[in-house]
Amino acid sequence: MLSLFLGVNLRADLPPDLAIREFRTSDYDALIRLWDEAKLPYKPAGRDKRENICDEVKRSNAIFLVAEKNGGIIGSAFGTHDGRKGWINRVAVTPKWRRRGIAAQLVYAVERRFNAMGIGIIACLIEDWNVESMRFFEGIGYKRHRDIFYFTKRSKVDI
Ligand SMILES: CC(C)(COP(=O)(O)OP(=O)(O)OC[C@H]1O[C@@H](n2cnc3c(N)ncnc32)[C@H](O)[C@@H]1OP(=O)(O)O)[C@@H](O)C(=O)NCCC(=O)NCCS
């Protein structure tokens, strides 16, 4: 039953009663608690402000998923696409439930939705200190590019 609900690549040690579902605006406070607990870098005064996330989730290119267990939010993965490429952001799992395959299930669920939209390239950006996250993405089949540098131009510092 769980495998039908969550999809492919299930691990035997996935926590029971885990649901991967769409983010709801009422989840916002729990989401921020999760990100704080997970020590995920995020922009509370910028992109990740309540109104921004609640607005962004309504857009057709947004795939904002959470992992719920016993009514609590224990994981998140956000996807957006620009029509050519899908981007994965804000992947986090509460420390107590790590290395049980939850982040993998979240990312696979975002990937399936991207693929269904015809988006065949999926990418993520990881800060150079975040070795754990690099190991995670490599562990689920992402290729690291050592020959690409990230350039941005921002209208505000905290955007
Ligand atoms: C990165 C993170 C989301 C991984 O969550 P998770 O649920 O523990 O990951 P999974 O259990 O799905 O891991 C899947 C595979 O990724 C790899 N992996 C995950 N974490 C790893 C680690 N710390 N070290 C080495 N490999 C790791 C493994 O191959 C793992 O499979 P295995 O357990 O069978 O060996 C979690 O560590 C986290 O929340 N980190 C802090 C927030 C953050 O920095 N997010 C990334 C922003 S880009």
Side-chain angles (χ1 to χ4, degrees):
M1 188 63 192
L2 185 69
S3 64
L4 283 176
F5 186 58
L6 290 175
V8 293
N9 300 318
L10 283 188
R11 290 166 50 146
D13 58 346
L14 262 180
D17 309 322
L18 184 75
I20 305 286
R21 65 160 174 82
E22 311 289 331
F23 167 82
R24 302 175 194 131
T25 54
S26 55
D27 295 325
Y28 182 82
D29 292 330
L31 183 74
I32 295 300
R33 278 197 299 277
L34 162 71
W35 288 350
D36 284 335
E37 209 182 358
K39 299 196 170 34
L40 174 92
Y42 67 101
K43 306 262 186 195
R47 256 177 299 161
D48 299 306
K49 266 200 288 199
R50 182 188 303 268
E51 57 265 41
N52 287 356
I53 288 190
C54 295
D55 179 50
E56 214 183 321
V57 70
K58 293 181 207 142
R59 297 184 195 161
S60 61
N61 69 339
I63 304 166
F64 287 8
L65 302 182
V66 294
E68 180 181 326
K69 182 173 166 46
N70 300 333
I73 302 297
I74 62 167
S76 68
F78 283 12
T80 54
H81 73 82
D82 55 22
R84 302 180 67 186
K85 195 177 281 179
W87 292 95
I88 307 251
N89 287 290
R90 305 298 186 252
V91 183
V93 167
T94 197
K96 181 180 164 204
W97 291 104
R98 287 190 189 161
R99 300 307 292 270
R100 303 280 297 267
I102 296 172
Q105 287 307 319
L106 282 158
V107 172
Y108 295 149
V110 175
E111 290 173 358
R112 285 195 296 275
R113 286 162 167 80
F114 278 143
N115 293 156
M117 295 168 166
I119 301 287
I121 306 178
I122 303 172
C124 70
L125 296 167
I126 302 175
E127 280 117 333
D128 61 357
W129 54 265
N130 200 341
V131 175
E132 193 174 50
S133 185
M134 291 186 212
R135 289 189 177 138
F136 164 68
F137 277 98
E138 285 184 327
I140 61 164
Y142 283 68
K143 179 184 171 205
R144 183 196 298 231
H145 292 263
R146 296 180 190 275
D147 53 347
I148 293 176
F149 290 84
Y150 178 54
F151 288 71
T152 61
K153 188 184 268 185
R154 290 166 193 265
S155 57
K156 284 185 279 183
V157 176
D158 193 14
I159 194 163

